[in-house]
Amino acid sequence: MKSSSSSSSSSSSHRKCPFSSYLITFSFIIFVAILYGEDFSCILRQHFLQSQQLEDFEQQQQQNIPKPKEKDEVVPFAVGETARGCNIFEGEWVYDEERRPQYEEKECPYIQPQLTCLVHGRPDTGYQHWRWQPHGCSLPSFNATLMLEMLRGKRMMFVGDSLNRGQYVSLICLLHRIIPESAKSMETFDSLTVFKAKDYNASIEFYWAPFLVESNSDNAVIHRVADRIVRTGSINKHAQHWKGVDILVFNSYLWWMTGMKMKILRGSFEGDMKEILEMETEDAYRLALKRMVKWVEKNIDTHKNRVFFTSMSPTHTTSKEWGGEPDGNCYNQTTPIKDPTYWGSSSSKGIMQVIKEVFSKAKVPITLINITQLSEYRKDAHTQIYKKQWSPLTPEQLANPKSYADCVHWCLPGLQDTWNELLYAKLFFP
Ligand SMILES: *[C@@H]1O[C@H](CO)[C@@H](O)[C@H](O)[C@H]1NC(C)=O
Ligand SMILES: *[C@@H]1O[C@H](CO)[C@@H](O)[C@H](O)[C@H]1NC(C)=O
Ligand SMILES: *[C@@H]1O[C@H](CO)[C@@H](O)[C@H](O)[C@H]1NC(C)=O
Ligand SMILES: *[C@@H]1O[C@H](CO)[C@@H](O)[C@H](O)[C@H]1NC(C)=O
């Protein structure tokens, strides 16, 4: 009904004013083509071929055909399942000195000095002892032997920003203890860091791509760019390094939060033909996420591979938000927030909505690791001032420690070990 009425109205407008409507369509195609940085003539050719297919697809969507249940499908890497109906991301933090942490800061040499809080003088250790307890079930306990066995002959890769790097390192810390010194290695090549467990022929890797798509912040070392520009349609420069990976874990959020509109580049960073347009952050984020999903749809074998996406990592820069002192932040915070409904201003609900919307339309399963709410509670878990500093501190900073507290990143061991427990649960017990 709907589609026939819309097509008749469009054909009548064609009759009235064929030229201008053609122009509008044409300029829209150019706009999209430039935005996506794809082969332009190819898009032009395919546009007319695809529009019919697209309409069919949309009609099917409208008929609300139920998707086949996940349970009927073979999920690669599954060895068991989580209790039906249990949302492992809904629960509470339980103080558990006996079972947490799962490793000690000093026995994991892979933690970058920006995340080793104790060695940089953090006086309290409570942040290490919280265990996540879902309301409806218990998380499977993390078994490093099982995980390494499952990764035998495989590649697993985290792709994203420094928060994903933190989760990557946390996973290495959870695994490395059972591997003898001579049978493991960690090396960095530009944007790619590779941990190898030789006896398992397994590699666990991290690839720096803070926007997933191409951007001017892609240098793995020098990327503190204030004026960020992204190319939302362009992913292959990065994605060529993800091809053939068995388990992918993406994230991207922090770098989008500039507080301003996003700058989108049409054309390439190298050429002279540069045009930059501005776009609402959520719209730009949607384009990048869709580009990532499109790549996944084309390159992932759902019978062999798994793809995960970790949701927004919250920050705690304003203590007023949780009823703290008027001008404080995460500095000197030693306990989690108790209010189960707490949601600070740092995690955009709009972005969460975009994630939901884009993934619900994906043609291949992408498993969300929804860490946002449970991390919102953890104002105590940031590195604060207890980390290696990029540059020497000024006397003014030293006199006022909260002025240089890092309320973005997380101490290890700590919160991000839980993110990996959740990843472990979704990977092996979906
Ligand atoms: C961990 O997994 C291995 C390999 O599947 C298994 O042999 C072992 O019993 C498990 N350990 C625990 C504590 O469950
Ligand atoms: C080691 O793993 C890689 C994939 O990471 C695979 O291509 C290769 O065949 C494996 N080698 C052996 C000897 O199993
Ligand atoms: C840290 O918090 C405690 C209360 O929890 C307070 O007594 C102390 O003055 C605070 N320290 C600083 C440096 O703000
Ligand atoms: C993630 O969890 C939060 C809180 O439970 C929820 O509001 C949000 O909708 C979830 N996100 C997605 C994409 O399902």
Coordinates of all heavy atoms in Angstrom, one line a residue, residues 326-379:
P326 N 30.7 20.1 44.9 CA 30.4 20.9 43.7 C 31.4 20.9 42.6 O 31.1 20.9 41.5 CB 30.1 22.3 44.3 CG 30.6 22.3 45.7 CD 30.6 20.9 46.2
D327 N 32.7 20.9 43.0 CA 33.7 21.1 41.9 C 34.7 19.9 41.8 O 35.8 20.0 41.3 CB 34.5 22.4 42.1 CG 35.1 22.4 43.5 OD1 34.8 21.5 44.3 OD2 35.9 23.3 43.8
G328 N 34.2 18.7 42.2 CA 35.1 17.6 42.2 C 35.0 16.7 40.9 O 34.2 17.1 40.1
N329 N 35.8 15.7 40.9 CA 35.6 14.7 39.8 C 36.0 13.3 40.3 O 35.7 13.1 41.5 CB 36.5 15.1 38.6 CG 38.0 15.3 39.0 OD1 38.5 14.7 39.9 ND2 38.7 16.1 38.2
C330 N 36.5 12.5 39.5 CA 36.8 11.1 40.0 C 37.9 11.0 41.0 O 38.1 10.0 41.7 CB 37.1 10.2 38.8 SG 38.8 10.5 38.1
Y331 N 38.7 12.1 41.1 CA 39.8 12.1 42.0 C 39.3 11.9 43.4 O 38.4 12.4 43.9 CB 40.5 13.5 41.9 CG 41.6 13.6 43.0 CD1 42.7 12.7 43.0 CD2 41.6 14.5 44.0 CE1 43.7 12.7 44.0 CE2 42.6 14.6 45.0 CZ 43.6 13.7 44.9 OH 44.6 13.8 45.9
N332 N 40.1 10.9 44.1 CA 39.8 10.6 45.5 C 38.5 9.8 45.7 O 37.9 9.8 46.8 CB 39.7 12.0 46.3 CG 39.9 11.7 47.8 OD1 40.5 10.7 48.2 ND2 39.4 12.6 48.6
Q333 N 37.9 9.3 44.6 CA 36.7 8.5 44.7 C 37.2 7.0 45.0 O 38.0 6.5 44.3 CB 35.9 8.5 43.4 CG 35.4 9.9 43.1 CD 34.4 10.5 44.2 OE1 33.7 9.7 44.8 NE2 34.5 11.8 44.4
T334 N 36.6 6.4 46.0 CA 37.0 5.1 46.4 C 35.9 4.0 46.4 O 36.2 2.9 46.6 CB 37.7 5.1 47.8 OG1 36.8 5.7 48.7 CG2 39.0 5.9 47.8
T335 N 34.7 4.5 46.1 CA 33.6 3.5 46.2 C 32.7 3.7 44.9 O 32.5 4.9 44.4 CB 32.7 3.7 47.4 OG1 32.3 5.0 47.5 CG2 33.4 3.3 48.7
P336 N 32.0 2.7 44.5 CA 31.1 2.8 43.3 C 29.9 3.6 43.7 O 29.5 3.8 44.9 CB 30.7 1.4 43.0 CG 31.7 0.5 43.6 CD 32.2 1.2 44.8
I337 N 29.2 4.1 42.7 CA 27.9 4.7 42.9 C 26.8 3.7 43.2 O 26.8 2.6 42.5 CB 27.5 5.5 41.6 CG1 28.5 6.7 41.5 CG2 26.1 6.0 41.6 CD1 28.5 7.4 40.1
K338 N 26.0 3.9 44.2 CA 25.0 2.9 44.6 C 23.7 3.0 43.8 O 23.0 2.0 43.7 CB 24.8 3.0 46.1 CG 26.0 2.7 46.9 CD 25.8 1.5 47.8 CE 27.1 1.0 48.4 NZ 27.9 2.0 49.1
D339 N 23.3 4.2 43.4 CA 22.0 4.4 42.8 C 21.9 3.6 41.5 O 22.6 3.8 40.5 CB 21.9 5.9 42.4 CG 20.6 6.2 41.6 OD1 19.8 5.3 41.5 OD2 20.5 7.3 41.2
P340 N 21.0 2.5 41.5 CA 21.0 1.6 40.3 C 20.5 2.4 39.0 O 20.8 1.9 37.9 CB 20.0 0.6 40.7 CG 19.3 1.1 41.9 CD 20.1 2.1 42.5
T341 N 19.9 3.5 39.1 CA 19.4 4.2 37.9 C 20.5 5.3 37.5 O 20.2 6.0 36.5 CB 18.1 5.0 38.2 OG1 18.4 6.0 39.2 CG2 17.0 4.0 38.7
Y342 N 21.6 5.3 38.1 CA 22.6 6.4 37.8 C 23.0 6.3 36.3 O 23.4 5.2 35.9 CB 23.8 6.4 38.7 CG 24.8 7.4 38.3 CD1 24.6 8.8 38.7 CD2 25.9 7.1 37.6 CE1 25.5 9.8 38.3 CE2 26.8 8.1 37.2 CZ 26.6 9.4 37.5 OH 27.5 10.4 37.2
W343 N 23.0 7.4 35.7 CA 23.5 7.5 34.3 C 24.0 9.0 34.1 O 23.2 9.9 34.1 CB 22.4 7.2 33.3 CG 22.8 7.2 31.8 CD1 23.1 8.3 31.1 CD2 23.1 6.1 31.0 NE1 23.4 7.9 29.8 CE2 23.4 6.6 29.7 CE3 23.0 4.7 31.2 CZ2 23.8 5.7 28.7 CZ3 23.3 3.8 30.1 CH2 23.7 4.3 28.9
G344 N 25.3 9.1 34.1 CA 25.9 10.5 34.0 C 25.7 11.1 32.7 O 25.1 10.5 31.8
S345 N 26.3 12.3 32.5 CA 26.1 13.0 31.2 C 27.1 12.5 30.2 O 26.9 12.9 29.0 CB 26.2 14.5 31.5 OG 27.5 14.8 31.8
S346 N 28.0 11.7 30.6 CA 29.1 11.4 29.6 C 28.7 10.4 28.6 O 29.3 10.3 27.5 CB 30.4 10.9 30.4 OG 30.2 9.6 30.9
S347 N 27.7 9.6 28.9 CA 27.4 8.5 27.9 C 26.1 9.0 27.2 O 25.0 9.0 27.7 CB 27.1 7.2 28.5 OG 28.0 6.9 29.5
S348 N 26.3 9.3 25.9 CA 25.1 9.8 25.1 C 24.1 8.8 24.9 O 24.4 7.7 24.2 CB 25.7 10.4 23.8 OG 24.6 10.4 22.9
K349 N 22.9 9.0 25.3 CA 21.8 8.0 25.0 C 21.5 8.0 23.5 O 21.0 7.0 23.0 CB 20.5 8.4 25.8 CG 20.7 8.0 27.3 CD 19.4 7.7 28.0 CE 19.7 6.9 29.3 NZ 18.8 7.1 30.4
G350 N 21.7 9.2 22.9 CA 21.5 9.3 21.4 C 22.5 8.3 20.7 O 22.1 7.6 19.8
I351 N 23.7 8.2 21.1 CA 24.7 7.3 20.5 C 24.3 5.9 20.8 O 24.3 5.0 19.9 CB 26.1 7.6 21.0 CG1 26.6 9.0 20.6 CG2 27.1 6.5 20.6 CD1 27.0 9.1 19.1
M352 N 23.8 5.6 22.0 CA 23.3 4.2 22.3 C 22.2 3.9 21.3 O 22.1 2.7 20.9 CB 22.9 4.2 23.7 CG 22.6 2.8 24.2 SD 24.1 1.7 24.2 CE 24.5 1.6 25.9
Q353 N 21.3 4.8 21.1 CA 20.2 4.6 20.2 C 20.7 4.3 18.7 O 20.2 3.4 18.1 CB 19.3 5.8 20.2 CG 17.8 5.6 19.9 CD 17.3 4.5 20.7 OE1 17.5 4.4 21.9 NE2 16.6 3.5 20.1
V354 N 21.7 5.0 18.3 CA 22.3 4.8 17.0 C 22.9 3.4 16.9 O 22.7 2.6 15.9 CB 23.4 5.8 16.7 CG1 24.1 5.5 15.4 CG2 22.8 7.2 16.6
I355 N 23.6 3.0 18.0 CA 24.1 1.6 18.0 C 23.0 0.6 17.9 O 23.1 -0.4 17.1 CB 24.9 1.4 19.3 CG1 26.2 2.3 19.4 CG2 25.3 -0.1 19.5 CD1 26.9 2.3 20.7
K356 N 22.0 0.8 18.6 CA 20.9 -0.2 18.6 C 20.3 -0.3 17.2 O 20.0 -1.3 16.7 CB 19.8 0.3 19.6 CG 18.9 -0.8 20.1 CD 17.9 -0.2 21.1 CE 18.4 -0.2 22.6 NZ 17.4 0.3 23.5
E357 N 20.0 0.9 16.7 CA 19.4 1.0 15.4 C 20.2 0.4 14.3 O 19.8 -0.5 13.5 CB 19.2 2.5 15.1 CG 18.6 2.9 13.7 CD 19.0 4.4 13.5 OE1 18.8 5.2 14.4 OE2 19.4 4.7 12.3
V358 N 21.5 0.7 14.2 CA 22.4 0.2 13.2 C 22.6 -1.3 13.3 O 22.5 -2.0 12.3 CB 23.7 0.9 13.1 CG1 24.7 0.3 12.2 CG2 23.5 2.4 12.8
F359 N 22.8 -1.8 14.5 CA 23.0 -3.2 14.7 C 21.8 -4.1 14.4 O 21.9 -5.2 14.0 CB 23.6 -3.5 16.0 CG 25.1 -3.1 16.2 CD1 25.8 -3.2 17.4 CD2 25.7 -2.6 15.1 CE1 27.1 -2.8 17.5 CE2 27.1 -2.1 15.2 CZ 27.7 -2.2 16.4
S360 N 20.6 -3.5 14.7 CA 19.4 -4.3 14.5 C 19.1 -4.5 13.0 O 18.4 -5.4 12.6 CB 18.2 -3.6 15.2 OG 17.9 -2.4 14.4
K361 N 19.7 -3.6 12.2 CA 19.5 -3.8 10.7 C 20.7 -4.6 10.1 O 20.6 -4.9 8.9 CB 19.5 -2.4 10.1 CG 18.1 -1.7 10.4 CD 18.1 -0.4 9.6 CE 17.0 0.5 10.2 NZ 17.4 1.9 10.1
A362 N 21.7 -4.9 10.9 CA 22.9 -5.6 10.3 C 22.4 -7.0 9.8 O 21.6 -7.7 10.5 CB 24.0 -5.7 11.3
K363 N 23.0 -7.5 8.7 CA 22.7 -8.8 8.2 C 23.5 -9.9 8.8 O 23.3 -11.1 8.5 CB 22.8 -8.8 6.7 CG 21.9 -7.8 6.0 CD 21.9 -7.9 4.5 CE 21.4 -6.7 3.8 NZ 22.6 -5.8 3.5
V364 N 24.5 -9.6 9.6 CA 25.2 -10.6 10.3 C 25.2 -10.2 11.8 O 25.1 -9.1 12.2 CB 26.7 -10.7 9.8 CG1 26.8 -11.1 8.4 CG2 27.4 -9.3 10.1
P365 N 25.3 -11.3 12.7 CA 25.2 -10.9 14.1 C 26.4 -10.2 14.6 O 27.6 -10.6 14.3 CB 25.1 -12.3 14.8 CG 25.5 -13.3 13.8 CD 25.3 -12.7 12.4
I366 N 26.2 -9.1 15.3 CA 27.3 -8.3 15.9 C 26.8 -8.3 17.4 O 25.8 -7.7 17.7 CB 27.5 -6.9 15.3 CG1 27.9 -7.1 13.9 CG2 28.5 -6.1 16.1 CD1 28.0 -5.7 13.1
T367 N 27.6 -8.9 18.3 CA 27.2 -9.0 19.7 C 27.7 -7.8 20.4 O 28.8 -7.4 20.5 CB 27.8 -10.2 20.3 OG1 27.5 -11.4 19.5 CG2 27.3 -10.5 21.7
L368 N 26.7 -7.1 21.1 CA 27.0 -5.9 21.8 C 27.5 -6.3 23.2 O 26.9 -7.1 23.9 CB 25.8 -5.0 22.0 CG 26.0 -3.7 22.6 CD1 26.8 -2.8 21.7 CD2 24.7 -3.0 23.0
I369 N 28.7 -5.8 23.6 CA 29.1 -5.9 25.0 C 28.7 -4.6 25.6 O 29.4 -3.6 25.5 CB 30.6 -6.1 25.1 CG1 31.1 -7.3 24.2 CG2 31.1 -6.3 26.5 CD1 30.5 -8.6 24.6
N370 N 27.6 -4.6 26.3 CA 26.9 -3.4 26.8 C 27.5 -3.0 28.2 O 26.8 -3.2 29.2 CB 25.4 -3.6 26.8 CG 24.7 -2.3 27.0 OD1 25.3 -1.2 27.3 ND2 23.4 -2.3 26.8
I371 N 28.7 -2.4 28.2 CA 29.3 -2.1 29.4 C 29.0 -0.7 30.0 O 29.5 -0.4 31.1 CB 30.9 -2.2 29.3 CG1 31.4 -1.4 28.1 CG2 31.3 -3.6 29.1 CD1 31.7 0.1 28.5
T372 N 28.2 0.0 29.3 CA 28.0 1.4 29.7 C 27.4 1.6 31.1 O 27.9 2.2 32.0 CB 27.2 2.2 28.7 OG1 27.8 1.9 27.4 CG2 27.2 3.7 28.9
Q373 N 26.2 1.0 31.3 CA 25.5 1.1 32.6 C 26.4 0.7 33.7 O 26.6 1.3 34.7 CB 24.2 0.4 32.5 CG 23.4 0.5 33.8 CD 22.8 1.8 34.0 OE1 21.8 2.2 33.3 NE2 23.2 2.6 35.0
L374 N 27.0 -0.5 33.6 CA 27.7 -1.1 34.7 C 29.0 -0.3 35.0 O 29.5 -0.3 36.2 CB 28.0 -2.6 34.5 CG 28.8 -3.0 33.3 CD1 30.3 -3.3 33.8 CD2 28.3 -4.3 32.8
S375 N 29.5 0.4 34.0 CA 30.7 1.2 34.2 C 30.4 2.6 34.7 O 31.2 3.2 35.4 CB 31.5 1.3 32.9 OG 31.8 0.0 32.4
E376 N 29.1 3.0 34.5 CA 28.7 4.3 35.0 C 28.8 4.3 36.5 O 29.1 5.3 37.1 CB 27.2 4.5 34.6 CG 27.0 5.0 33.2 CD 27.3 6.5 33.0 OE1 27.7 7.2 34.0 OE2 27.1 7.0 31.9
Y377 N 28.6 3.1 37.1 CA 28.6 3.1 38.6 C 30.0 3.2 39.2 O 30.2 3.5 40.3 CB 28.1 1.7 39.1 CG 26.7 1.4 38.7 CD1 26.4 0.1 38.2 CD2 25.7 2.3 38.7 CE1 25.1 -0.2 37.8 CE2 24.4 2.0 38.3 CZ 24.1 0.7 37.8 OH 22.8 0.4 37.4
R378 N 31.1 3.0 38.3 CA 32.4 2.9 38.8 C 33.3 4.1 38.8 O 34.3 4.2 38.2 CB 33.1 1.7 38.0 CG 32.4 0.4 38.3 CD 32.4 -0.1 39.7 NE 33.7 0.0 40.4 CZ 34.6 -1.0 40.3 NH1 34.3 -2.1 39.6 NH2 35.7 -0.9 40.9
K379 N 32.8 5.1 39.5 CA 33.5 6.4 39.6 C 34.9 6.2 40.3 O 35.8 7.0 40.3 CB 32.7 7.4 40.3 CG 32.4 7.1 41.8 CD 31.6 8.3 42.4 CE 30.9 7.9 43.8 NZ 31.8 7.4 44.9

